[in-house]
């Protein structure tokens, strides 16, 4: 499929490099609001840079990968749909559930598809954890924990302001990785109970080139609470830009027969461990593909194959919309003090093993 990329910031290089693992993806142009940035990225990777309008009007491009900042995801996605292109967005799908739903509804009306990051849950380690749960290795799922906590992104990102602006914050930034993987493992979320806080209303940037500058904080920077899944499992979760360090593992899942350690959902690989009563933690063999590198185009490739074969794709708009509603519910619950019932649901994505040909996606 002919692919165009809109948004040539930090993450675009990872997408372009990873796309070379998937012959179904033919990147035919890149674009950015800043033409010089698009030109530099194109030169770096031997691609063609175009203005955004020219990319959207190019008949050779079937699918647009939207790597703009979160606040622009829906606006750019709607433009791509209006141009007759399928669209795959970086996470989150949008910065509010209502606007995310606009994108999904527009795609349905146009007969086009929407996909969205993260696709890390398709990595071999996370699919191995999914296999273990599906075959009953942990028994009935009871609960779990999900933790991402750090001091913030101003120590490393060259322009971290958007992480603290509307549409940013730890839940919308990192929550998609954790909640998407949890839905992959446990199914849809039914209820959310959350609390949020903002430790500082202004933060100092310590990374180049803006070292020493201050930036305002407009969103909660510490979010915690509980997810009750439709299957009854209850998962405690915390996402924070206010924590110096911690010793929690990223993901643990507990069942009636065993406990399961799932690796960092921001990566495709990692160690998967199982512990049964009376035994030690045991390493589980990760034999499924896409566990040995950064494959941040795997979800796009699966979407392209899905379009060509007329089958559902896994990193779908429906999944991303459900995750967006879950994330938004933390703020709503914090403000009201009430449990928030989800209005959306979604089926667990099919195991990726069902689409492997000679051990790779096909």
């Amino acid at each position: 499929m002919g692919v165009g990329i809109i948004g040539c910031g930090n993450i675009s290089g990872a997408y372009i490099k990873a796309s070379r693992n998937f012959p179904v993806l033919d990147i035919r142009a890149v674009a950015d609001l800043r033409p010089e940035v698009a030109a530099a990225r194109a030169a770096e990777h031997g691609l063609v840079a175009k203005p955004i309008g020219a990319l959207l009007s190019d008949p050779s491009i079937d699918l647009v990968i939207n790597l703009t900042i979160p606040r622009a995801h829906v606006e750019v996605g709607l433009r791509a749909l209006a141009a007759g292109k399928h669209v795959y967005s970086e996470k989150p799908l949008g910065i509010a559930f209502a606007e995310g739903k606009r994108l999904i509804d527009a795609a349905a009306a146009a007969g086009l598809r929407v996909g969205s990051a993260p696709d890390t849950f398709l990595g071999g380690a996370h699919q191995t954890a999914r296999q273990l749960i599906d075959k009953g290795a942990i028994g009935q799922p009871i609960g779990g924990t999900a933790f991402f906590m750090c001091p913030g992104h101003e120590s490393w990102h060259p322009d971290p302001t958007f992480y603290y602006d509307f549409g940013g914050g730890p839940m919308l930034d990192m929550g998609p990785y954790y909640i998407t993987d949890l839905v992959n493992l446990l199914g849809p979320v039914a209820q959310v109970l959350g609390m949020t806080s903002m430790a500082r209303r202004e933060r100092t940037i310590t990374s180049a080139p803006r070292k020493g500058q201050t930036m305002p904080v407009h969103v909660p920077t510490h979010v915690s609470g509980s997810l009750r899944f439709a299957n009854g499992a209850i998962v405690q979760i915390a996402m924070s830009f206010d924590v110096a360090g911690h010793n929690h593992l990223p993901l643990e899942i507990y069942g009636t027969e065993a406990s399961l350690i799932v690796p960092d959902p921001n990566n495709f690989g990692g160690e998967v461990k199982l512990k049964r009563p009376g035994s030690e933690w045991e390493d589980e063999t990760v034999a499924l593909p896409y566990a040995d590198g950064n494959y941040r185009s795997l979800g796009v490739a699966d979407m392209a194959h899905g379009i060509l074969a007329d089958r559902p794709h896994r990193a779908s708009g429906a999944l991303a919309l459900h995750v967006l509603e879950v994330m938004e519910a933390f703020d709503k619950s914090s403000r009201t003090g009430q449990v928030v019932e989800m209005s959306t649901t979604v089926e667990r994505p099919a195991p990726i093993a069902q689409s492997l040909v000679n051990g790779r996606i096909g």
Side-chain angles (χ1 to χ4, degrees), residues 299-324:
V300 188
D302 178 65
M303 180 176 170
H305 279 294
I307 293 167
L308 294 172
D310 194 26
R311 65 157 173 82
H313 60 286
R314 293 168 174 84
S316 68
L319 175 59
L321 184 65
H322 179 64
V323 170
L324 181 57

Side-chain angles (χ1 to χ4, degrees), residues 143-147 178 182 234-238 248-254:
T145 56
F147 291 102
Y178 289 76
L182 286 167
I234 300 172
V235 173
Q236 297 168 284
I237 185 169
H248 296 289
L249 294 174
L251 281 175
E252 296 186 12
I253 305 295
Y254 313 129

Side-chain angles (χ1 to χ4, degrees), residues 3-348:
V3 174
I5 293 176
I6 298 179
C8 294
N10 273 2
I11 196 65
S12 62
Y15 271 82
I16 293 167
K17 290 175 184 176
S19 71
R20 295 169 184 151
N21 294 287
F22 308 108
V24 71
L25 302 178
D26 182 7
I27 298 178
R28 294 178 179 167
V30 299
D32 195 281
L33 279 175
R34 302 158 297 173
E36 69 280 5
V37 173
R41 188 66 77 196
E44 180 184 358
H45 295 281
L47 299 170
V48 174
K50 292 186 176 184
I52 292 174
L55 184 151
L56 290 174
S57 64
D58 186 339
S60 75
I61 291 175
D62 309 294
L63 188 157
V64 168
I65 301 177
N66 179 6
L67 303 182
T68 57
I69 62 172
R71 289 175 66 173
H73 283 176
V74 169
E75 176 189 351
V76 172
L78 289 171
R79 286 186 65 186
L81 293 172
K85 317 296 187 187
H86 305 285
V87 61
Y88 183 96
S89 176
E90 238 309 297
K91 52 79 186 169
L93 181 68
I95 65 171
F97 174 75
E99 70 165 22
K101 192 172 186 307
R102 280 179 57 214
L103 185 67
I104 300 303
D105 290 346
L112 296 165
R113 295 208 194 188
V114 170
S116 180
D119 56 0
T120 44
F121 74 95
L122 300 175
H126 302 281
Q127 290 292 302
T128 298
R130 166 73 179 266
Q131 279 189 344
L132 289 166
I133 292 174
D134 287 353
K135 74 178 186 181
I138 71 167
Q140 177 186 342
I142 299 297
T145 56
F147 291 102
F148 172 86
M149 297 186 289
C150 74
H153 295 340
E154 59 268 35
S155 65
W156 65 271
H157 198 280
D159 188 15
T161 304
F162 74 92
Y163 286 111
Y164 301 95
D165 202 352
F166 299 108
M171 182 54 75
L172 281 180
D173 179 42
M174 296 304 298
Y177 296 109
Y178 289 76
I179 297 170
T180 302
D181 204 14
L182 286 167
V183 173
N184 166 59
L185 297 171
L186 299 173
V189 176
Q191 296 176 312
V192 174
L193 178 62
M195 292 185 178
T196 69
S197 67
M198 183 194 301
R200 290 164 282 173
R201 298 191 175 275
E202 188 176 84
R203 299 174 79 120
T204 301
I205 300 171
T206 58
S207 59
R210 297 182 57 196
K211 185 174 181 178
Q213 296 180 22
T214 59
M215 56 186 173
V217 178
H218 297 294
V219 293
T221 48
H222 188 88
V223 182
S224 66
S226 297
L227 306 171
R228 183 188 293 275
F229 289 77
N231 69 359
I234 300 172
V235 173
Q236 297 168 284
I237 185 169
M239 303 279 121
S240 183
F241 288 165
D242 291 325
V243 175
H246 65 89
N247 284 324
H248 296 289
L249 294 174
L251 281 175
E252 296 186 12
I253 305 295
Y254 313 129
T256 54
E257 303 299 324
S259 294
L260 180 66
I261 291 176
V262 183
D264 185 346
N266 194 10
N267 297 322
F268 291 83
E271 294 183 337
V272 179
K273 295 177 180 286
L274 196 69
K275 187 182 189 306
R276 298 175 177 86
S279 70
E280 299 299 319
W281 287 102
E282 298 176 359
D283 291 323
E284 296 294 319
T285 301
V286 176
L288 290 168
Y290 309 116
D292 60 345
N294 187 354
Y295 291 96
R296 282 175 207 273
S297 285
L298 176 54
V300 188
D302 178 65
M303 180 176 170
H305 279 294
I307 293 167
L308 294 172
D310 194 26
R311 65 157 173 82
H313 60 286
R314 293 168 174 84
S316 68
L319 175 59
L321 184 65
H322 179 64
V323 170
L324 181 57
E325 184 183 24
V326 171
M327 295 189 296
E328 186 175 88
F330 282 91
D331 185 61
K332 186 183 298 184
S333 178
S334 182
R335 286 186 285 104
T336 64
Q338 302 294 316
V339 171
V340 178
E341 305 278 345
M342 295 299 95
S343 67
T344 61
T345 189
V346 68
E347 293 186 12
R348 288 200 299 165

